[in-house]
């Protein structure tokens, strides 16, 4: 298993260090795992003037899987857009063809009290959001800033999806639904947007190959509302890049903390990039208080999706559950009666439980 490890910025290095402890523990058991680190995001800019240095992309291309922390920091916000940390992330997704972004929102029973929603609304929650990741308004051309003929400044972006882009992510979502409760909800804004009209048509066409999956459609505004009203109505959600960005942040809070949710970004083979869905949290960086569990759970997803090691994935997930059951909590999921742990202590505890 060859893994490119890209810690990135902010809390990225601290949380990735905990995931690396898990890799080291697996290697010590005799699994053949190698990893190598490279800078991305602001760290890439600092090291090589580029948020995705050539050497980093080359390493990621050679690797079977990529482990990523997070990118971004206020000190980079004034740079021209191509040099900003976020571009490193968007470019590596695009360059590796990682079009299918799996974002599970799973509530650990131990954390029901950490959610801002009533425990009965979120207890037992288990949703999988499949977000398209390499198209949509994120990448559509034309885009830019200009001055119009009235002398006013304008910003513009293009929301665009081609049929094959919709079809391939829809297939991934249907395949996942087949392995779960066989319910798929496609989320778009077909009452207003042509892009969404095509999205809905193509999803319906794709459904013909999956007669056992119950397909439904929902407008994104309603989906945002339903996610906080009655989130357990969902099994698998498939949606475009920008709607998925927004809805997955919302879904994460149902589970108590954005610090709990891993993600997998997959190409059409076994390759994947694995990262927590949260950002670089510059305000708590370097304080050893960030929650490393989303990153550690991303290692589990890596074992499952790239290396086909279901048992190792399950073991990592069980180890996380055990640590939560022991009452250990980082600050973001702390409630009275539990024991507060630092980032490093949490990583050590997971390794011990493993
Ligand atoms: C995410 C993030 C990124 C995105 C940013 C950092 C570019 O919000 O992975 O959800 O918008 O995709
Ligand atoms: Mg996001």
């Amino acid at each position: 298993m060859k893994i490119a490890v890209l810690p990135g910025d902010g809390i990225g290095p601290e949380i990735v260090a905990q995931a690396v402890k898990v890799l080291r523990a697996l290697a010590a058991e005799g699994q053949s795992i190698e990893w190598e680190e490279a800078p991305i995001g602001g760290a890439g800019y600092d090291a090589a003037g580029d948020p995705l240095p050539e050497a980093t992309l080359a390493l990621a291309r050679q690797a079977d899987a990529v482990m990523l922390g997070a990118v971004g920091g206020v000190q980079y916000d004034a740079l021209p857009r191509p040099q900003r940390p976020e571009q490193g992330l968007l470019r590596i997704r695009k360059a590796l063809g990682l079009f299918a972004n799996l974002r599970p929102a799973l509530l650990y029973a131990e954390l029901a009290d950490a959610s801002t929603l009533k425990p009965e609304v979120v207890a037992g929650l288990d949703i999988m959001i499949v977000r398209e990741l390499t198209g949509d308004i994120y990448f559509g051309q034309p885009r830019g800033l200009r001055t119009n003929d009235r002398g006013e400044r304008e910003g513009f972006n293009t929301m665009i999806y081609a049929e094959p882009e919709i079809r391939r992510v829809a297939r991934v979502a249907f395949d996942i639904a087949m392995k779960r409760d066989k319910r798929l909800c496609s989320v778009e804004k077909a009452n207003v947007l042509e892009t969404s009209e095509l999205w809905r048509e193509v999803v319906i066409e794709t459904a013909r190959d999956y007669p056992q999956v119950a397909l439904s459609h929902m407008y994104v505004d309603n989906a945002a509302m339903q996610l906080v009203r009655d989130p357990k109505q969902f099994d698998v959600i498939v949606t475009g890049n920008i709607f998925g960005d927004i809805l997955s942040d919302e879904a994460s809070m149902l589970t108590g903390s954005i610090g709990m949710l891993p993600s997998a970004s997959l190409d059409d083979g076994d390759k994947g990039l694995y990262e927590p869905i949260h950002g670089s949290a510059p305000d708590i960086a370097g304080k050893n208080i960030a929650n490393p569990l989303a990153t550690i759970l991303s290692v589990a997803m890596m074992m499952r999706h790239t290396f086909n090691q279901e048992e190792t994935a399950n073991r990592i997930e069980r180890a996380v559950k055990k640590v939560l059951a022991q009452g250990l909590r980082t600050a973001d999921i702390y409630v009275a009666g539990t024991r507060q742990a630092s980032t490093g202590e949490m990583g050590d505890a997971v390794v011990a439980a493993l």
Side-chain angles (χ1 to χ4, degrees), residues 239-261:
T239 190
N241 203 345
I242 191 151
F243 298 154
D245 178 45
I246 298 165
L247 293 181
S248 61
D249 265 34
E250 188 189 10
S252 75
M253 274 321 284
L254 305 173
T255 71
S257 171
I258 195 166
M260 290 299 300
L261 295 199

Side-chain angles (χ1 to χ4, degrees), residues 93 103 131 138 244-246 248-249 258 277-279:
R93 290 171 177 170
R103 297 190 163 190
R131 169 191 178 193
Y138 270 58
D245 178 45
I246 298 165
S248 61
D249 265 34
I258 195 166
I277 83 152
H278 61 70

Side-chain angles (χ1 to χ4, degrees), residues 294-309:
T295 317
I296 290 172
L297 290 167
S298 298
V299 177
M301 290 192 90
M302 176 189 291
M303 291 299 149
R304 177 171 296 126
H305 293 285
T306 290
F307 299 118
N308 207 10
Q309 296 220 15

